Amino acid sequence: PGAGPGLTGRCRAGLAELRARREELSGRIREEEAERSRLQSRIWALTERLARTSESLARHLVARGELDRTIAETEAAYGKILESSQTLLDVLKGEVGNAGKANEPQSTSKEKEKQARGQKHS
């Protein structure tokens, strides 16, 4: 008879301790679930941000590629224009030089003719 109440008290104390541990564990579970929820929200936000950044990056890469092509085409056309301008300048210089040479002998010939006429009239 004396062992009964002591055993009951120890059982009750043991159950109370188990319930306290259970409550403590439940509190930790709630904290970890809240943390998991916060982390999932951050992951979702970062995933959305990553998707937007990736799309923006893809658009910028395409635009840069188009600009690179346009720059290359413009530089090539500019080079051709410079080359054509130099060729035209060289041709013009040659023509001016030829025109100058063509005028010199004619004026010299006319002068010689005048001199020759002048000597005949003297």
Side-chain angles (χ1 to χ4, degrees), residues 91-110:
V91 169
L92 286 174
K93 284 181 182 178
E95 291 298 320
V96 168
N98 289 340
K101 290 177 185 175
N103 285 339
E104 279 181 23
Q106 289 176 354
S107 63
T108 305
S109 300
K110 288 181 182 179

Side-chain angles (χ1 to χ4, degrees), residues 38-85:
R38 283 190 298 271
L39 290 172
Q40 285 176 335
S41 294
R42 285 177 61 191
I43 289 170
W44 180 84
L46 289 173
T47 301
E48 288 293 311
R49 187 172 162 191
L50 176 62
R52 285 191 308 272
T53 301
S54 295
E55 290 170 9
S56 178
L57 177 61
R59 286 192 306 272
H60 287 129
L61 289 171
V62 168
R64 186 178 69 181
E66 290 171 2
L67 285 174
D68 287 345
R69 253 188 318 283
T70 300
I71 289 168
E73 291 170 2
T74 303
E75 286 175 340
Y78 181 68
K80 288 179 183 178
I81 290 169
L82 287 179
E83 187 179 321
S84 297
S85 297

